[in-house]
Amino acid sequence: MKVNILQWHAVSSWTWDAQDETCGICRMAFDGCCPDCKLPGDDCPLIWGQCNHAFHLHCILKWVNSQTSQAHCPMCRREWHFKE
């Protein structure tokens, strides 16, 4: 028996590999994007801190820049350092 494939449609999905489902700052889902962006993905990536908490890039940058002294993680209050 011989089979000829006439059409083929591939479907895929992606998710961020974060422990939480939402950003701790804006409370928007990681599968979506931050309030400043229109589309999720490369323009609105997730950023992890050394404490392993994840946030939207734009959210954590606003948070860090709004701190008058050393920035702290909004979730655990440890000193904020970007994970390398």
Side-chain angles (χ1 to χ4, degrees):
M1 181 171 162
K2 188 176 182 180
V3 177
N4 290 330
I5 299 173
L6 300 177
Q7 251 183 346
W8 184 66
H9 297 281
V11 177
S12 66
S13 66
W14 62 270
T15 60
W16 292 105
D17 189 20
Q19 295 173 349
D20 297 325
E21 294 181 10
T22 59
C23 176
I25 298 172
C26 70
R27 298 292 184 203
M28 299 294 286
F30 285 141
D31 291 344
C33 56
C34 72
D36 294 340
C37 294
K38 294 182 181 181
L39 298 172
D42 291 338
D43 292 337
C44 192
L46 295 189
I47 299 295
W48 280 263
Q50 287 182 350
C51 58
N52 286 327
H53 287 117
F55 304 98
H56 292 117
L57 172 65
H58 302 119
C59 295
I60 195 63
L61 288 178
K62 280 184 184 178
W63 178 269
V64 168
N65 291 332
S66 71
Q67 303 295 305
T68 55
S69 61
Q70 176 63 39
H72 293 87
C73 173
M75 301 296 284
C76 65
R77 306 304 294 163
R78 287 177 53 190
E79 199 171 302
W80 178 260
H81 295 286
F82 291 98
K83 194 173 201 174
E84 294 179 14

